[in-house]
Amino acid sequence: QVQLVESGGGLVQAGGSLRLSCAASGTTFSRYAMGWFRQAPGKEREVVATITWSGRSTYYTNSVKGRFTISRDNAKNTVYLQMNSLKPEDTAVYYCAADGSAFRPIGPRTLDEYAYWGQGTQVTVSS
């Protein structure tokens, strides 16, 4: 059974920073791409960033480019999302997810390609 547990969310003022972590267990973490997604109230869940199994390739949605950084530590079975220069529009529940297929050269960007999901962590950015 694969488990993903997010942490690091909270309340921060606009312009501040947060670092989200997602710890994985029950799988060979290093084989799979990982993604961070978010869902704001009344909106669909959207991809924020992805990282390949090796960590060599990353993807960011346009609205977070230059502000967010995704990384992973395969020795610790953990993926991170460093979020800087936060804006009120970044307010959402943030989820990490693990790819359903191993060793993909590009991190998938659609929800249905991810087989495992964490429970989510709330990020609230005040203006």
Side-chain angles (χ1 to χ4, degrees), residues 10 13 30 38 53 68 90 118 124:
Q13 288 188 332
S30 61
R38 66 186 179 187
W53 61 275
F68 290 11
D90 295 318
T124 303

Side-chain angles (χ1 to χ4, degrees), residues 8-14 16-18 20 83 86 88 91-92 121-127:
L11 173 64
V12 64
Q13 288 188 332
S17 298
L18 285 173
L20 305 184
M83 305 186 294
L86 282 160
T91 296
T121 185
Q122 177 71 47
V123 171
T124 303
V125 184
S126 64
S127 56

Side-chain angles (χ1 to χ4, degrees), residues 45-115:
R45 194 171 298 189
E46 63 173 356
V47 64
V48 175
T50 69
I51 188 166
T52 52
W53 61 275
S54 64
R56 293 194 185 107
S57 179
T58 58
Y59 163 82
Y60 299 93
T61 193
N62 284 339
S63 62
V64 308
K65 281 182 182 177
R67 301 189 297 123
F68 290 11
T69 303
I70 188 171
S71 62
R72 66 189 296 158
D73 185 337
N74 285 342
K76 295 182 178 179
N77 286 1
T78 302
V79 62
Y80 304 97
L81 186 67
Q82 178 67 45
M83 305 186 294
N84 298 329
S85 302
L86 282 160
K87 304 175 180 180
E89 50 263 44
D90 295 318
T91 296
V93 178
Y94 283 71
Y95 300 89
C96 72
D99 190 355
S101 299
F103 300 123
R104 275 206 257 218
I106 298 175
R109 301 174 190 178
T110 59
L111 276 69
D112 59 359
E113 294 178 283
Y114 286 84

